[in-house]
Amino acid sequence: MDLNQTISHEHEFSYCRADFNKVAQLIYECAGIRLNDSKQQMVYSRLARRLRVLKLRSFAQYLHLLEQDPDSAEWQPFINALTTNLTSFFREAYHFEILAQQMQTSRARPFRIWCAAASTGEEPYSLAMTAMEAYQTAQPAVEILASDLDTQVLATAAQGVYTVDKLEQMTLARKRGFFLKGTAMNGGKARVKPGLRALLQFQQINLLDSTWPLQGQFDAIFCRNVMIYFDQATQKIILQKMGRLLKPDGQLYVGHSENLHFISEYFTSCGKTTYRLTERAIREWGVG
Ligand SMILES: C[S@@+](CC[C@H](N)C(=O)[O-])C[C@H]1O[C@@H](n2cnc3c(N)ncnc32)[C@H](O)[C@@H]1O
């Protein structure tokens, strides 16, 4: 394989196979994200914006800038550019029904939820709406920690402002109950109501880090549609750490194409892509 091979001649910046390999190596090392060869064009278009901002001419220059300084401020925009943030309100809706049931049968006050790949906020706000509906109060005893590796999506999440098309699939009752419609300059936008926002805290957490800045245990952990980007060895490490943060009767919710069969000694299914700790996990990890 020719590593100097130019990937396309139509590019504004010089970009070859070795550049892509280096990007793939760096994002794997710092975020656990695997980029296969089909992502070569995606990497180019996402990082080309950074090269333009920094007025660089080649990917080699950009990669040199990153590699020569582990503390470079460019690492975060590099990571932000390469994450995939697709999400929506009440995505995989069955989980919110399972969560409502879990809340209604749990005695935990506050009921604590960690949303570990919160992206632009649609998922944690859906959790907050579910809590208000399940407890039938605008001030439920619920705490939701929304985290993500990507600082840009977290900033969007914290703002809680969405274009109205993002709300399209939601019932009228939810739109009216939980959002304020923008007017004049904010026409076409909707903001989550302050009461909903008050249930959430936002924090940057890299799931790949050896320690997470978290305290106490959670009744529910939502870790959906992020593990697909990690290899199985990485998933195993993360899941074992997450398991220790679950209360003995806590539930872990994963994405529709993710499953925990390969770690069945510690997690057992209790519904559609929803898991509980096994007796062994509770015994070995001393949770509770
Ligand atoms: C496809 S989105 C899923 C969003 C939401 N959980 C859902 O299911 O709709 C994946 C999210 O995982 C985040 N992510 C990727 N690698 C991560 C890591 N190492 N630690 C924490 N978050 C990560 C990305 O920034 C992105 O926002």
Side-chain angles (χ1 to χ4, degrees), residues 30-33 79-80 83-88 91-92 115-120 122-124 147-150 153 205-209 222-230 238 255:
C30 63
I33 297 170
I79 292 169
N80 291 356
T83 57
T84 297
N85 310 114
L86 183 78
T87 188
S88 57
R91 178 179 191 186
E92 294 161 38
C115 180
S119 188
T120 38
E122 288 87 333
E123 185 176 56
S147 70
D148 202 284
L149 166 67
D150 182 331
V153 292
I205 296 178
N206 184 351
L207 292 173
L208 210 68
D209 282 351
F222 272 65
C223 184
R224 305 191 311 163
N225 304 305
V226 60
M227 281 190 301
I228 34 166
Y229 301 106
F230 305 149
I238 291 172

Coordinates of all heavy atoms in Angstrom, one line a residue, residues 30-33 79-80 83-88 91-92 115-120 122-124 147-150 153 205-209 222-230 238 255, ligand 1:
C30 N -7.3 8.8 21.6 CA -7.9 9.8 22.6 C -9.4 9.6 22.8 O -9.8 10.0 23.9 CB -7.5 11.2 22.3 SG -8.1 11.8 20.8
A31 N -10.1 9.0 21.9 CA -11.5 8.9 22.1 C -12.1 7.4 22.0 O -13.2 7.2 22.3 CB -12.3 9.8 21.2
G32 N -11.2 6.5 21.6 CA -11.7 5.1 21.4 C -12.4 4.9 20.1 O -12.9 3.8 19.8
I33 N -12.6 6.0 19.3 CA -13.4 5.9 18.1 C -12.6 5.2 17.0 O -11.5 5.6 16.7 CB -13.9 7.3 17.7 CG1 -14.8 7.9 18.8 CG2 -14.5 7.3 16.3 CD1 -15.1 9.4 18.6
I79 N -11.2 16.6 18.1 CA -12.1 15.5 18.6 C -13.5 15.9 18.2 O -14.3 15.1 17.6 CB -12.0 15.4 20.1 CG1 -10.7 14.8 20.5 CG2 -13.1 14.5 20.7 CD1 -10.3 14.8 22.0
N80 N -13.9 17.2 18.4 CA -15.3 17.6 18.1 C -15.6 17.4 16.6 O -16.8 17.0 16.3 CB -15.5 19.1 18.4 CG -15.5 19.4 19.9 OD1 -15.4 18.5 20.7 ND2 -15.5 20.7 20.3
T83 N -16.4 13.4 16.0 CA -17.5 12.6 16.6 C -18.7 12.7 15.7 O -18.9 13.6 14.9 CB -17.9 13.2 18.0 OG1 -18.2 14.6 17.8 CG2 -16.7 13.1 19.0
T84 N -19.6 11.7 15.8 CA -20.8 11.6 15.1 C -21.9 11.8 16.1 O -22.0 11.1 17.1 CB -21.0 10.3 14.4 OG1 -19.9 10.2 13.4 CG2 -22.3 10.1 13.6
N85 N -22.8 12.8 15.9 CA -23.6 13.3 17.0 C -25.1 13.1 16.7 O -26.0 13.7 17.4 CB -23.4 14.8 17.3 CG -21.9 15.1 17.5 OD1 -21.3 15.8 16.6 ND2 -21.3 14.6 18.5
L86 N -25.4 12.2 15.8 CA -26.8 12.0 15.4 C -27.7 11.6 16.6 O -27.3 10.7 17.3 CB -26.9 10.9 14.3 CG -28.3 10.7 13.8 CD1 -28.7 11.7 12.8 CD2 -28.4 9.3 13.2
T87 N -28.8 12.3 16.8 CA -29.7 12.0 17.9 C -31.0 12.6 17.6 O -31.2 13.3 16.6 CB -29.1 12.6 19.2 OG1 -29.9 12.1 20.3 CG2 -29.0 14.1 19.3
S88 N -32.0 12.3 18.5 CA -33.3 12.9 18.3 C -34.1 12.8 19.6 O -33.7 11.9 20.5 CB -34.1 12.3 17.1 OG -34.2 10.9 17.3
R91 N -35.7 9.2 20.9 CA -35.2 8.2 19.9 C -35.3 6.8 20.6 O -35.0 6.7 21.8 CB -33.7 8.5 19.7 CG -33.0 7.6 18.8 CD -31.5 8.0 18.6 NE -30.9 7.3 17.6 CZ -29.6 7.4 17.3 NH1 -28.8 8.2 18.0 NH2 -29.0 6.7 16.3
E92 N -35.6 5.8 19.9 CA -35.8 4.5 20.5 C -36.8 4.6 21.6 O -36.4 4.3 22.8 CB -34.5 3.8 20.8 CG -33.6 3.5 19.6 CD -32.2 3.3 19.8 OE1 -31.8 2.7 20.8 OE2 -31.4 3.8 19.0
C115 N -26.7 10.2 31.7 CA -26.8 10.1 30.2 C -25.4 10.3 29.6 O -24.9 11.4 29.6 CB -27.8 11.2 29.7 SG -28.1 11.1 28.0
A116 N -24.7 9.2 29.3 CA -23.3 9.2 29.1 C -22.8 9.6 27.7 O -21.6 9.8 27.5 CB -22.7 7.8 29.4
A117 N -23.7 9.8 26.8 CA -23.3 10.3 25.4 C -24.5 11.2 25.0 O -25.3 10.8 24.1 CB -23.1 9.1 24.4
A118 N -24.6 12.3 25.6 CA -25.8 13.1 25.5 C -25.9 13.9 24.3 O -27.0 14.5 24.0 CB -25.8 14.1 26.7
S119 N -24.8 14.0 23.5 CA -24.8 14.8 22.3 C -25.5 16.2 22.4 O -25.2 16.8 23.4 CB -25.5 13.9 21.2 OG -25.4 14.6 19.9
T120 N -26.4 16.6 21.5 CA -26.9 17.9 21.6 C -28.1 18.1 22.6 O -28.7 19.1 22.6 CB -27.3 18.4 20.2 OG1 -27.9 17.2 19.5 CG2 -26.2 18.9 19.3
E122 N -31.0 16.2 23.1 CA -32.4 15.7 22.9 C -32.6 14.5 23.8 O -33.7 14.3 24.3 CB -32.6 15.2 21.4 CG -32.7 16.4 20.4 CD -31.3 16.9 19.9 OE1 -30.3 16.8 20.6 OE2 -31.3 17.5 18.8
E123 N -31.6 13.7 24.0 CA -31.8 12.5 24.8 C -32.0 12.9 26.3 O -33.0 12.4 26.9 CB -30.6 11.5 24.7 CG -30.8 10.2 25.4 CD -29.6 9.3 25.1 OE1 -28.5 9.6 25.3 OE2 -29.9 8.1 24.7
P124 N -31.1 13.6 26.9 CA -31.3 14.0 28.3 C -32.6 14.8 28.6 O -33.3 14.6 29.6 CB -30.1 14.8 28.7 CG -29.4 15.2 27.5 CD -29.8 14.1 26.5
S147 N -23.6 14.0 29.9 CA -22.2 14.2 29.6 C -21.9 13.7 28.2 O -22.6 13.0 27.6 CB -21.3 13.4 30.6 OG -21.4 12.0 30.3
D148 N -20.8 14.2 27.6 CA -20.3 13.9 26.3 C -18.9 14.2 26.2 O -18.4 15.1 27.0 CB -21.1 14.6 25.2 CG -21.1 13.9 23.9 OD1 -20.0 14.0 23.2 OD2 -22.0 13.2 23.5
L149 N -18.2 13.7 25.3 CA -16.8 14.0 25.1 C -16.7 15.3 24.3 O -15.7 16.1 24.4 CB -16.1 12.9 24.2 CG -14.8 13.1 23.6 CD1 -13.7 13.3 24.7 CD2 -14.4 11.9 22.7
D150 N -17.7 15.6 23.4 CA -17.6 16.7 22.5 C -18.1 18.0 23.2 O -19.3 18.0 23.6 CB -18.5 16.3 21.3 CG -18.6 17.3 20.2 OD1 -18.4 18.5 20.5 OD2 -18.8 16.9 19.0
V153 N -21.2 20.0 21.2 CA -22.6 19.5 21.3 C -23.1 19.7 22.8 O -24.3 20.0 23.0 CB -22.7 18.0 21.0 CG1 -22.5 17.8 19.5 CG2 -21.9 17.1 21.8
I205 N -17.3 14.4 29.8 CA -16.6 13.2 30.3 C -16.2 12.3 29.1 O -17.1 12.1 28.2 CB -17.6 12.3 31.2 CG1 -17.9 13.1 32.5 CG2 -16.9 11.0 31.6 CD1 -18.8 12.4 33.4
N206 N -15.0 11.9 29.1 CA -14.5 11.0 28.0 C -14.6 9.6 28.6 O -14.0 9.3 29.6 CB -13.0 11.3 27.7 CG -12.5 10.5 26.6 OD1 -13.1 9.5 26.1 ND2 -11.3 10.8 26.1
L207 N -15.4 8.8 27.9 CA -15.6 7.4 28.5 C -14.4 6.6 28.4 O -14.2 5.6 29.1 CB -16.7 6.7 27.6 CG -18.1 7.3 27.8 CD1 -19.1 6.7 26.8 CD2 -18.6 7.2 29.2
L208 N -13.4 7.1 27.7 CA -12.1 6.3 27.6 C -11.2 6.6 28.7 O -10.2 5.9 29.0 CB -11.4 6.7 26.3 CG -10.6 5.6 25.7 CD1 -11.4 4.5 25.2 CD2 -9.7 6.2 24.5
D209 N -11.5 7.7 29.5 CA -10.6 8.1 30.6 C -10.6 7.0 31.7 O -11.6 6.3 31.9 CB -11.0 9.4 31.2 CG -10.6 10.6 30.4 OD1 -9.8 10.4 29.4 OD2 -11.0 11.7 30.6
F222 N -28.0 5.7 30.8 CA -28.2 5.7 29.3 C -26.9 5.8 28.6 O -26.2 6.9 28.7 CB -29.2 6.8 28.9 CG -30.6 6.4 29.0 CD1 -31.2 6.2 30.3 CD2 -31.4 6.3 27.9 CE1 -32.5 5.8 30.4 CE2 -32.8 5.9 28.0 CZ -33.3 5.7 29.2
C223 N -26.5 4.8 27.9 CA -25.2 4.8 27.2 C -25.6 4.3 25.8 O -25.2 3.1 25.4 CB -24.2 4.0 27.9 SG -22.6 4.1 27.0
R224 N -26.2 5.1 25.0 CA -26.8 4.6 23.8 C -26.1 5.1 22.5 O -25.8 6.3 22.4 CB -28.3 5.0 23.7 CG -29.1 4.5 25.0 CD -30.6 4.7 24.8 NE -31.0 5.9 24.3 CZ -32.2 6.2 23.8 NH1 -33.1 5.2 23.7 NH2 -32.5 7.4 23.4
N225 N -25.9 4.2 21.6 CA -25.4 4.6 20.3 C -24.0 5.3 20.3 O -23.7 6.1 19.5 CB -26.4 5.4 19.5 CG -27.7 4.7 19.4 OD1 -27.8 3.6 18.9 ND2 -28.8 5.3 19.9
V226 N -23.2 4.9 21.3 CA -21.8 5.3 21.3 C -20.9 4.1 21.3 O -19.8 4.2 20.7 CB -21.6 6.3 22.5 CG1 -21.8 5.7 23.8 CG2 -20.1 6.8 22.5
M227 N -21.3 3.0 22.0 CA -20.3 1.9 22.0 C -20.1 1.3 20.7 O -19.1 0.6 20.5 CB -20.9 0.9 23.0 CG -20.6 1.3 24.4 SD -20.9 0.0 25.6 CE -22.6 -0.3 25.4
I228 N -21.0 1.5 19.7 CA -20.7 1.0 18.4 C -19.4 1.6 17.8 O -18.9 1.0 16.9 CB -21.9 1.4 17.4 CG1 -22.5 2.7 17.7 CG2 -22.9 0.3 17.3 CD1 -23.4 3.3 16.7
Y229 N -19.0 2.7 18.3 CA -17.7 3.3 17.7 C -16.5 2.7 18.4 O -15.4 2.9 17.9 CB -17.7 4.8 17.9 CG -18.9 5.5 17.3 CD1 -20.0 6.0 18.0 CD2 -18.9 5.6 15.9 CE1 -21.0 6.6 17.4 CE2 -20.0 6.1 15.2 CZ -21.1 6.6 16.0 OH -22.1 7.2 15.4
F230 N -16.7 1.9 19.5 CA -15.5 1.3 20.2 C -15.3 -0.2 19.8 O -16.3 -0.8 19.5 CB -15.8 1.4 21.7 CG -16.1 2.8 22.2 CD1 -16.9 3.0 23.3 CD2 -15.5 3.9 21.6 CE1 -17.2 4.2 23.8 CE2 -15.8 5.2 22.1 CZ -16.7 5.4 23.2
I238 N -15.2 -0.2 29.6 CA -16.2 0.8 29.9 C -17.4 0.3 30.7 O -17.8 0.8 31.7 CB -16.6 1.6 28.7 CG1 -15.4 2.4 28.1 CG2 -17.8 2.5 28.9 CD1 -15.7 3.1 26.8
G255 N -27.9 1.2 23.0 CA -28.6 1.5 21.7 C -29.1 0.2 21.0 O -28.8 -0.9 21.4
Ligands
LIG1 C1 -24.5 9.0 17.8 S1 -24.4 10.0 19.2 C2 -25.6 9.3 20.2 C3 -26.4 10.3 21.0 C4 -27.5 9.7 21.9 N1 -26.9 8.9 22.9 C5 -28.5 9.0 21.1 O1 -28.5 7.7 21.2 O2 -29.3 9.6 20.4 C6 -22.8 9.5 19.9 C7 -22.2 10.5 20.9 O3 -21.1 9.9 21.6 C8 -20.2 10.8 21.9 N2 -18.9 10.2 22.1 C9 -18.0 9.6 21.2 N3 -16.9 9.1 21.8 C10 -17.1 9.4 23.1 C11 -16.2 9.1 24.2 N4 -15.0 8.6 24.1 N5 -16.7 9.6 25.5 C12 -17.9 10.2 25.6 N6 -18.7 10.4 24.5 C13 -18.3 10.0 23.3 C14 -20.2 11.7 20.6 O4 -19.6 13.0 20.8 C15 -21.7 11.7 20.3 O5 -22.3 12.9 20.8

